[in-house]
Each structure stands twice: as structure tokens, then as C-alpha cells.
């Protein structure tokens, strides 16, 4: 017998897989040899005197004594256990044993494994202390690992970029029509000629000039409400603009589980429910289509985009009044930042130019009147502004983690750098005149983007052309940005107020502003209200300032919802 031999001192030990490595031998007499034994996977030594005629079981292998660690299991009698602590137990006498790890949860120790824990309610603290006390004698190694206490630190976040754009607006179908119309100072506000609008005090709106159903397969269009049709058309354009193949994720070789949809909507398409109610009164229950309910819910746009492009990662809908589209983009930014998805189509879609909605807004005295033929009736920041113009449409961005976009060689428009939310907690419809809630969202967006207020080179304002709303936003912007003359533009003179889609469409315009280095003019503002005190871009497009890299896109809604998106120029 020599050091390195692996043996079981008795047949019982062999049957129970209790083996030891001989680390040292010392003859005591011709009949007795004293051996020092250590568990083969590490532990403490003990000695045994073996007689010449004593039977032992020797394994058919020899071990390197220097490779067998000499370790002892510390006593845990005075240790204070906490949930989250880990305990590692290794039956070191069995060469084939695997370490078992226990985690303390709810005051008991459970096996850290996906397999069911056959110990029922878990192991008690007293039992764990007994294991540690008997470990050396039993040939077991027990290690206690306290739950680490770490200082709070920011989680690692991925950079998010914009790679695709799509839009359906009162200026036409496509981002090309939108951008050209913005630069040329055109508007898409029209008279509502349908009989159903007869008798309304205001009969103008920003309506999409083509029937979206005619641009989609007939069978598919019949199952979508008008807002969903806008959303699908904008999403298809954005998907193709990002360099992906027509058809969706499968045709593009993209894992559909790593792609998401995040769209904002207030009502989606209010006409479906109104039409269903009319048919119920005229024809009875059998006259109501079974598609009425699925085509009424605000989430239909997100659902239809996911169906059309075969996106299975997630399909989210955000409803926060007129801030819905911007908040939906912000939420998509976070879903990509923290690894939930790699790609997202985000924005907003809305189709609420209906008699009841128009009548309601008119009753609130919130709508502007006037003849669209003589110029835009929507006059953001103007001294003669008198209300907003209701509108419809959709705007969609393709967002990706930067590494995902770079890996496939995608064209990057800009970085979706951050976003901010706040609530006025002031009134069910009117904005807080102090602008404090808006200012909070502005500061949060810049902070989330890792920037400074001096980095802001342009603001795409919400500016609905209501007297109090524009003034509150202007007060907030001046308070946050200080006395710097940051160029500000407002697009609702071109488009009207697209409600839940406004944030999506205006984000598309803000991305294009960064990409082309041009700020579109504000239409309808012949003379800026002296109380506004902002550098409002009017007349002609203006070059984007070079000293800075952040553009802010604002959206604020009834009830005090405030959302701001921060976009950063990329080299």
C-alpha cells in the first residue's frame, strides 16, 4: 500500500461509496501499518491502523495526492442566515459525487435546481448547522456563501437606434409625402363633405386623402378598422425602409420572438362601435357583424401589425390620451435597452374623425374653425390661435439595438436616446398653466438620454394651437432651456392633431429633421404670440444648429399625460 491508493476500509464503506485516498503510510510493526486517509474530493485527514490480515477494498486506480485538497468545513453555529444565502454540500468521500447547492428562501433551504425539491418544505437552519458540525466526520465538505450586498448601480443598457420610418398622414401616404409637405409648408386639412357631418358647428379635419383599404388586400382590409389599416401601411413602409424583406420576419430571416410592436391609440377607430350601434337599431342583433368587437378595441392596430409581419415577441398598446404615440415609442426603447426584444415597430395610429367626436370637441370649444382654402385653420403659437383641428393617421419607427443594426449593415437615422414621462395632476382636460409637469418630462428625457440641456438643438413641439396649451408648453420650454434660442417647430398646422398617432408621426418628422439637418417651418403662425417667447421656425426651413446633438419631440394629453422623446444625432 502506497500513497495515492484509493481504498474503502471495509466492505460496508465500499457498499456505501465511502472511499479514501492514502496520503501517508507509517509501519508500526510487522503486523500493523498506520495510514493517513483523505476523502478523494477533498476534506480533512484521519488515521487508521490496518492489520496485515485486515481486508480492505482497493480501487483499480491511483490518485495524485497533491491534487486532493485538504479542507475543513467551518462551524455555522454563530452564523446569521438570510434569504438569498447559498449552501454548497459535497459528499467528498464519493469520487462520483456532484456538489448540491441550496438557496435559502422564505426561511428554509431549497435545492437550487429546476428539478422538484424532494425535501418538501425545505431544510431548516438547524439542520444546516448540524450538517456543518458533522461534515468533517462524515466526509462531507460544506460551504456557506452569504448573499452578496452590493451598492446600487445602473443596469447595463443597450443603445437603441432608428433604422426605419413609415407614415400615413393628411399630407399623403408615405414619409416622402410627409417630409416634402412639411418643407413646402403645405397642409392637409379639408372640409368634411359626408352627410353624417351635416349640422356640426365645425366641419374641417386633417384627413388622409386616400382610402387605406384600397392599398391593402381586400380580404385583409375587411378585418381591420381604419386606424389598423393606417398602422399596417405605415409599418410595412418602415419595415422595408429599415432594409428588411417584404412580408415580415420569416422572409427577412429574423427571429419573430425577438421582434415586438408598441403602438399608441386613444380609441383606435371610433366609427366601428358607432356603426355597430346603428346597425343594431336598424336591423336588430343579426345586423351586427361578429367583427365589431375585435375591430373596436384600441389594440387592433398593434394586433394587425403583428399579424401582417408575423411578429410574435409582443404586441403592446399604450393609451395615454394624446401622449400615447410618444409613450409607446419610449416603452419600446426600454424593451430593447434591457434585452426583451432586439427590434420593435413603435408609434401610433388613430382614426377618430367621426360626428360624435367632432361634436364633443366642439362642445368643449376646443376646435378651430375657418376655411382650409385660405390657409391652415390650425395656428400653433400664433397670437390669433383659437383651437386645434381633429386629425387621423399613423406614424411608425423601426427601433433596434445598435449591435443588431450594425451586424446586418443597416442604415441608422439616429439614436433613440431617451424619454421622459410625468403627470400634471391638475385637471381632467386643461393643462397646468405653470407648465411644471411638462418641464419635469423634458428634464427626465434629457437625463435619460445621458445628455445635458445645452445639448438640445431643436424641439418638435406638441403645440395644438389651443390658447392655454401652447402657453403652458412655451413656459415649460423657456424654463427648462433658459434664454438660449433653440429653434422650435409645430406640425399641427400641417396635419391637424392626430390624437394618439400624433407622437408617432411627429417622431418620424423629428428623425428626418436630424437626418437631413433641416427644421420644417410652423404653418399657420403668421404672428407669434408675444407671451410664447420662443424661437418659432416660420416661413422657410431652417438649418439645424450644429452645436449640440439632441432633438426633443413633445406630446401632451388630456388629463395631464406628458411624454417627451429624446433623439440623438449619430456621426
Amino acid at each position: 500500500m502506497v500513497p495515492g491508493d484509493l481504498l474503502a476500509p471495509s466492505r460496508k464503506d465500499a457498499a456505501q461509496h465511502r472511499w479514501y485516498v492514502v496520503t501517508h503510510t507509517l509501519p508500526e510493526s510487522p503486523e500493523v501499518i498506520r495510514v493517513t486517509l483523505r476523502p478523494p474530493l477533498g476534506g480533512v485527514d484521519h488515521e487508521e491502523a490496518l492489520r496485515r490480515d485486515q481486508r480492505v477494498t482497493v480501487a483499480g486506480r491511483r490518485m495524485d495526492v497533491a491534487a486532493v485538497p485538504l479542507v475543513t468545513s467551518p462551524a455555522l453555529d454563530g452564523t446569521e442566515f438570510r434569504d438569498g444565502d447559498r449552501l454548497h454540500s459535497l459528499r467528498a468521500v464519493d469520487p462520483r459525487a456532484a456538489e448540491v447547492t441550496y438557496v435559502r428562501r422564505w426561511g428554509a433551504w431549497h435545492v437550487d435546481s429546476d428539478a422538484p425539491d424532494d425535501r418538501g418544505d425545505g431544510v431548516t437552519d438547524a439542520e444546516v448547522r448540524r450538517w456543518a458540525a458533522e461534515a468533517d466526520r462524515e466526509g462531507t465538505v460544506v460551504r456557506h456563501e452569504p448573499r452578496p450586498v452590493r451598492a446600487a448601480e445602473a443596469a447595463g443598457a443597450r443603445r437603441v437606434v432608428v433604422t426605419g420610418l413609415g407614415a400615413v398622414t393628411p399630407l399623403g401616404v408615405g414619409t416622402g409625402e410627409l417630409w416634402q409637405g412639411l418643407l413646402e409648408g403645405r397642409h392637409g386639412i379639408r372640409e368634411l363633405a359626408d352627410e353624417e357631418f351635416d349640422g356640426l358647428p365645425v366641419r374641417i379635419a386633417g384627413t388622409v386623402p386616400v382610402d387605406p383599404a384600397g392599398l391593402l388586400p381586400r380580404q385583409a382590409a375587411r378585418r381591420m378598422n381604419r386606424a389598423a389599416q393606417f398602422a399596417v401601411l405605415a409599418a410595412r413602409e418602415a419595415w422595408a425602409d429599415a432594409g428588411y424583406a417584404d412580408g415580415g420576419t420569416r422572409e427577412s430571416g429574423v427571429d419573430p420572438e425577438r421582434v415586438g410592436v408598441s403602438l399608441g391609440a386613444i380609441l383606435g377607430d371610433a366609427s366601428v362601435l358607432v356603426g355597430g350601434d346603428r346597425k343594431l337599431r336598424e336591423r336588430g342583433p343579426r345586423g351586427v357583424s361578429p367583427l365589431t368587437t375585435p375591430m373596436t378595441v384600441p389594440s387592433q392596430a398593434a394586433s394587425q401589425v403583428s399579424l401582417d409581419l408575423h411578429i410574435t415577441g409582443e404586441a403592446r398598446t399604450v393609451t395615454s390620451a394624446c401622449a400615447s404615440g410618444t409613450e409607446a415609442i419610449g416603452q419600446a426603447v426600454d424593451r430593447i435597452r434591457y434585452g426583451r426584444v432586439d427590434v420593435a415597430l413603435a408609434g401610433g395610429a388613430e382614426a377618430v374623425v367621426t360626428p360624435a367626436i367632432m361634436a364633443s370637441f366642439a362642445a368643449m370649444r376646443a376646435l378651430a374653425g375657418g376655411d382650409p382654402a385660405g390657409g391652415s385653420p390650425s395656428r400653433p403659437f400664433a397670437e390669433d390661435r383659437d383651437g386645434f383641428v381633429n386629425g387621423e393617421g399613423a406614424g411608425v419607427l423601426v427601433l433596434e439595438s445598435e449591435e443588431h443594426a450594425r451586424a446586418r449593415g443597416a442604415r441608422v437615422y439616429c439614436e433613440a436616446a431617451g424619454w421622459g414621462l410625468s403627470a400634471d395632476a391638475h385637471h381632467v382636460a386643461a393643462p397646468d398653466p405653470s407648465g411644471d409637469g411638462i418641464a419635469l418630462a423634458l428634464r427626465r428625457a434629457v437625463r435619460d438620454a445621458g445628455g445635458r440641456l445645452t445639448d438640445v438643438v431643436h424641439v418638435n413641439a406638441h403645440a395644438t394651437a389651443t390658447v392655454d396649451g401652447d402657453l403652458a408648453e412655451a413656459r415649460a420650454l423657456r424654463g427648462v432651456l433658459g434664454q438660449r434660442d433653440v429653434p422650435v417647430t409645430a406640425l399641427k398646422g400641417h396635419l391637424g392633431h392626430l390624437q394618439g398617432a400624433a407622437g408617432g408621426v411627429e417622431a418620424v418628422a423629428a428623425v428626418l429633421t436630424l437626418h437631413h439637418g433641416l427644421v420644417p417651418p410652423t404653418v399657420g403662425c403668421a404672428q407669434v404670440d408675444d407671451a410664447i417667447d420662443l424661437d418659432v421656425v416660420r416661413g422657410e426651413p431652417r438649418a439645424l444648429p450644429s452645436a449640440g446633438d439632441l432633438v426633443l419631440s413633445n406630446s401632451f394629453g388630456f388629463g395631464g399625460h406628458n411624454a417627451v422623446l429624446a433623439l440623438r444625432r449619430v456621426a
Side-chain angles (χ1 to χ4, degrees):
M1 188 174 296
V2 298
D5 284 346
L6 184 64
L7 64 85
S10 68
R11 289 183 177 180
K12 181 179 179 181
D13 287 327
Q16 295 178 348
H17 303 289
R18 297 178 60 88
W19 298 87
Y20 297 90
V21 179
V22 177
T23 62
H24 187 68
T25 61
L26 178 65
E28 290 190 347
S29 71
E31 301 297 324
V32 177
I33 185 172
R34 183 168 295 278
V35 295
T36 303
L37 303 177
R38 184 182 301 171
L41 299 183
V44 298
D45 292 343
H46 75 277
E47 293 185 350
E48 289 199 22
L50 302 180
R51 302 184 310 277
R52 181 182 293 276
D53 59 351
Q54 182 175 341
R55 288 182 173 271
V56 297
T57 304
V58 180
R61 56 186 290 192
R62 182 165 288 170
M63 300 186 64
D64 179 4
V65 174
V68 182
L70 177 64
V71 293
T72 185
S73 299
L76 299 177
D77 293 340
T79 303
E80 181 180 351
F81 297 132
R82 299 179 304 161
D83 281 1
D85 286 4
R86 303 171 76 84
L87 186 85
H88 306 278
S89 178
L90 175 65
R91 191 167 182 266
V93 292
D94 184 353
R96 300 172 299 177
E99 186 175 74
V100 179
T101 300
Y102 297 82
V103 179
R104 193 175 189 270
R105 297 192 300 268
W106 304 105
W109 298 85
H110 301 270
V111 175
D112 184 22
S113 169
D114 292 334
D117 187 350
D118 60 2
R119 295 179 181 272
D121 294 332
V123 178
T124 65
D125 289 346
E127 185 73 0
V128 166
R129 290 190 171 94
R130 184 183 65 80
W131 287 354
E134 298 177 356
D136 291 348
R137 184 174 68 254
E138 294 294 329
T140 302
V141 175
V142 174
R143 294 184 297 112
H144 172 238
E145 182 183 328
R147 183 187 71 197
V149 179
R150 297 188 179 95
E153 57 183 20
R158 301 191 296 179
R159 192 179 187 212
V160 181
V161 296
V162 180
T163 58
L165 302 172
V168 178
T169 75
L171 289 173
V173 176
T175 56
E177 290 290 323
L178 170 66
W179 185 242
Q180 197 61 35
L182 296 180
L183 294 182
E184 293 175 357
R186 291 189 280 110
H187 73 80
I189 297 170
R190 301 171 176 84
E191 292 278 357
L192 298 172
D194 291 352
E195 291 182 2
E196 61 182 354
F197 295 102
D198 288 348
L200 292 180
V202 177
R203 296 184 56 184
I204 58 172
T207 55
V208 174
V210 298
D211 181 5
L215 303 177
L216 294 165
R218 182 179 179 184
Q219 188 66 22
R222 289 181 63 248
R223 296 178 178 272
M224 300 183 202
N225 64 32
R226 186 172 173 86
Q229 292 169 0
F230 291 153
V232 168
L233 290 172
R236 286 182 176 182
E237 181 189 11
W239 185 256
D241 187 47
Y244 289 112
D246 291 345
T249 56
R250 287 177 291 202
E251 292 78 1
S252 302
V254 178
D255 182 358
E257 296 181 6
R258 299 298 301 168
V259 184
V261 179
S262 180
L263 294 182
I266 302 176
L267 297 174
D269 184 350
S271 66
V272 176
L273 187 59
V274 173
D277 184 68
R278 183 186 300 118
K279 290 177 182 177
L280 176 64
R281 286 185 277 107
E282 292 175 352
R283 307 179 193 175
R286 292 189 178 181
V288 179
S289 167
L291 294 175
T292 299
T293 297
M295 289 176 64
T296 297
V297 294
S299 60
Q300 216 226 5
S303 171
Q304 289 294 335
V305 170
S306 73
L307 284 166
D308 188 68
L309 297 175
H310 190 68
I311 293 169
T312 63
E314 55 190 35
R316 303 158 59 84
T317 300
V318 175
T319 300
S320 53
C322 306
S324 300
T326 297
E327 184 175 344
I329 295 170
Q331 291 197 15
V333 168
D334 278 354
R335 301 298 286 175
I336 296 172
R337 272 179 173 173
Y338 301 111
R340 306 302 184 191
V341 293
D342 298 320
V343 182
L345 287 96
E350 200 81 78
V352 290
V353 181
T354 64
I357 298 297
M358 294 291 292
S360 174
F361 283 145
M364 295 171 64
R365 298 183 178 179
L367 290 182
D371 183 1
S376 175
S378 175
R379 300 184 289 276
F381 293 135
E383 61 180 2
D384 61 345
R385 66 191 185 279
D386 63 350
F388 70 85
V389 173
N390 193 20
E392 64 180 6
V396 175
L397 282 64
V398 173
L399 305 174
E400 298 186 51
S401 68
E402 183 179 34
E403 56 266 36
H404 190 276
R406 300 295 187 193
R408 66 183 187 87
R411 179 266 328 278
V412 172
Y413 280 109
C414 65
E415 178 188 359
W419 65 299
L421 290 178
S422 71
D424 282 353
H426 173 74
H427 188 268
V428 67
D432 181 352
S434 72
D436 289 348
I438 294 172
L440 177 59
L442 289 164
R443 290 191 178 97
R444 284 178 168 171
V446 173
R447 186 183 311 124
D448 190 50
R452 300 179 180 179
L453 294 173
T454 54
D455 298 332
V456 178
V457 293
H458 168 57
V459 177
N460 189 306
H462 182 65
T464 60
T466 58
V467 174
D468 294 336
D470 286 11
L471 194 57
E473 182 175 10
R475 185 174 288 121
L477 285 170
R478 181 55 73 190
V480 169
L481 299 177
Q483 295 306 307
R484 289 191 307 123
D485 284 333
V486 176
V488 175
T489 194
L491 306 185
K492 291 179 177 63
H494 299 81
L495 307 169
H497 189 351
L498 308 190
Q499 308 298 326
V505 171
E506 288 163 11
V508 169
V511 169
L512 290 171
T513 295
L514 268 175
H515 183 65
H516 294 291
L518 280 177
V519 180
T522 301
V523 167
C525 183
Q527 181 64 44
V528 179
D529 184 351
D530 289 340
I532 293 300
D533 192 26
L534 294 174
D535 180 16
V536 179
V537 178
R538 297 178 298 139
E540 298 291 333
R542 187 189 302 179
L544 190 69
S546 59
D549 62 359
L550 283 183
V551 165
L552 304 181
S553 183
N554 296 347
S555 294
F556 316 121
F558 284 160
H561 298 278
N562 304 311
V564 177
L565 177 67
L567 303 167
R568 175 173 283 118
R569 178 163 35 202
V570 294

